[in-house]
Amino acid sequence: MASRIIHKERLAAYQRWEMDTFEPAGVSTPEPGKGKHESADNSSTAVILPTVEQIEQIHQQARQEGYAAGYEAGFATGQEAGYQAASALGTAEVGKLQALLHNFQRELTNADQTISDNLLTLALCLARQMLREALKVRPELMLGVVRDCLQNDAAFSQPLQLFLHPDDAALVREHLHHELNDCTVCVDSSLDRGSCRIKTGSGQIDATLATRWQRMVQTLGQSSNWLE
């Protein structure tokens, strides 16, 4: 058999034949030197599911964090609500205290006025009693009233008639005889000691103790009867 010689130029057109692998279709064969590394990478990226204890711990931690957040929010809200309520209550209490103070001041003013009126009434009662006692002890005190009337004698066109209690008439004649001029001293037993009446041509002047007392208390804004 004659040998077939293949030229070198034609040998380049042929490819070397290699045996096909038996890997299933779609599965790539790992390159040499990479199989171990890729297996390690696949094992490191595998999903690890938490255990029941870990899930319960996560729930407990979430529950505690939620409780703490809710407590802080509730505390802040309650604190603000409490502040508002306390402020409103304080304002109401201040209003009550102001009204109470106003009423107290008004009552105190009324009490002061009442006390002042009572003290003035008491003072008038004491003055009236002291005057009565003084006229009994020193009846000559009425001479000052008569002297004042005689000094006004020039204002009248006609002589005066001076009516006095009999005992007072005797005192006037004794002590004021040089001041009587044309004034006539008359006796009136109905008059009290210290009282007098003056009769002129045009009328009569009441200078009794009761009338003089009434005029005095009226100037003080009071009402007090001499005969009480």
Side-chain angles (χ1 to χ4, degrees):
M1 180 175 179
S3 59
R4 187 178 178 181
I5 300 171
I6 301 174
H7 293 281
K8 184 178 180 180
E9 292 79 3
R10 296 181 62 184
L11 183 61
Y14 290 93
Q15 294 180 357
R16 182 181 178 181
W17 177 85
E18 294 179 357
M19 182 181 292
D20 294 335
T21 62
F22 294 95
E23 295 292 334
V27 178
S28 61
T29 302
E31 297 180 3
K34 293 183 178 181
K36 293 181 179 181
H37 295 289
E38 289 183 356
S39 298
D41 293 340
N42 290 336
S43 63
S44 63
T45 57
V47 177
I48 300 176
L49 298 177
T51 64
V52 175
E53 290 78 5
Q54 291 175 339
I55 294 175
E56 180 64 24
Q57 184 178 3
I58 293 172
H59 286 175
Q60 290 292 341
Q61 183 177 359
R63 188 180 300 110
Q64 291 177 358
E65 292 178 355
Y67 174 80
Y71 177 81
E72 292 179 359
F75 180 80
T77 303
Q79 187 179 27
E80 180 64 22
Y83 174 78
Q84 296 294 337
S87 178
L89 181 61
T91 301
E93 292 300 325
V94 169
K96 292 180 180 179
L97 288 176
Q98 289 178 345
L100 181 62
L101 180 60
H102 177 72
N103 293 334
F104 176 75
Q105 290 177 344
R106 182 181 59 189
E107 293 298 328
L108 185 61
T109 301
N110 294 336
D112 289 342
Q113 185 63 40
T114 301
I115 292 174
S116 299
D117 293 340
N118 292 337
L119 287 176
L120 183 56
T121 301
L122 178 61
L124 290 174
C125 292
L126 291 175
R128 180 178 55 197
Q129 187 63 30
M130 291 175 63
L131 182 56
R132 289 174 177 173
E133 295 299 324
L135 288 173
K136 292 179 180 179
V137 177
R138 297 182 57 191
E140 65 273 11
L141 292 174
M142 55 86 54
L143 296 177
V145 177
V146 175
R147 183 175 286 109
D148 291 339
C149 294
L150 295 176
Q151 289 177 354
N152 295 326
D153 187 14
F156 301 99
S157 57
Q158 296 181 359
L160 302 179
Q161 287 183 321
L162 184 61
F163 293 86
L164 299 168
H165 185 274
D167 296 335
D168 292 339
L171 286 175
V172 169
R173 292 190 182 99
E174 179 181 358
H175 297 280
L176 300 179
H177 60 90
H178 57 283
E179 300 180 27
L180 292 176
N181 297 327
D182 294 334
C183 179
T184 303
V185 177
C186 303
V187 175
D188 186 351
S189 300
S190 64
L191 294 175
D192 296 328
R193 295 294 304 268
S195 297
C196 66
R197 287 186 298 107
I198 300 174
K199 185 176 181 181
T200 66
S202 58
Q204 182 173 274
I205 299 175
D206 187 355
T208 60
L209 280 174
T211 301
R212 300 201 315 265
W213 176 262
Q214 190 63 33
R215 291 171 182 169
M216 182 187 71
V217 297
Q218 284 179 352
T219 59
L220 299 175
Q222 300 293 314
S223 178
S224 176
N225 193 337
W226 173 259
L227 298 178
E228 290 180 355

